[in-house]
Each structure stands twice: as structure tokens, then as C-alpha cells.
Amino acid sequence: MVHQLADQSIDLLYLDGNFSAKGSYLDLQLYYPKVKGGGYIILNNSDSPSKKQSLNFLMNKCSWLKTQSI
């Protein structure tokens, strides 16, 4: 699916896919370029140890909003 999307075409990306460290990071690497500047990325279960690499990537590349817990 990711290859059918144009770069900078997504306003809101909710990543709730692969839960392994490698798979989660790969999902992020593939979809990150598809998000518009000023768009939003939500990484589900970002507090999981398996998401550490993905979270670090986002922390270095993105601006952060105040976190909300539901």
C-alpha cells in the first residue's frame, strides 16, 4: 500500500502495525515520507521497548505535542 501513496500526501498517520522492533521501525521508515509537513504521526504503544528505535527517530525528526493518555 505504501508505494501507492504520494510523498507528503497524508495529514494524519496512525501507526498500529508491526509490534517487533525491526517491523515497527520499517513501517515508520516507509510511511514517514508520506506525511505532509505539519501533519501528525501517532505511534501506538510508543512506550513499549520494541518501539524505542521508532520513538527515537520521531523525537529527532518531529515537533512534539503535549501527550494525552486515554
Side-chain angles (χ1 to χ4, degrees):
M1 174 66 194
V2 70
H3 302 296
Q4 296 178 20
L5 299 169
D7 286 354
Q8 303 238 347
S9 64
I10 296 175
D11 293 308
L12 172 65
L13 176 65
Y14 184 83
L15 284 173
D16 185 20
N18 197 308
F19 208 79
S20 71
K22 184 177 179 180
S24 172
Y25 190 64
L26 178 60
D27 284 348
L28 183 56
Q29 291 289 308
L30 290 171
Y31 281 95
Y32 178 80
K34 307 302 180 182
V35 179
K36 292 179 182 177
Y40 296 90
I41 300 173
I42 300 169
L43 181 63
N44 190 46
N45 298 111
S46 61
D47 59 341
S48 169
S50 66
K51 303 281 181 108
K52 184 176 181 179
Q53 185 178 20
S54 296
L55 186 59
N56 286 337
F57 176 88
L58 289 174
M59 290 178 78
N60 289 317
K61 296 273 189 180
C62 302
S63 298
W64 284 84
L65 297 176
K66 181 180 176 184
T67 59
Q68 297 291 324
S69 180
I70 300 173

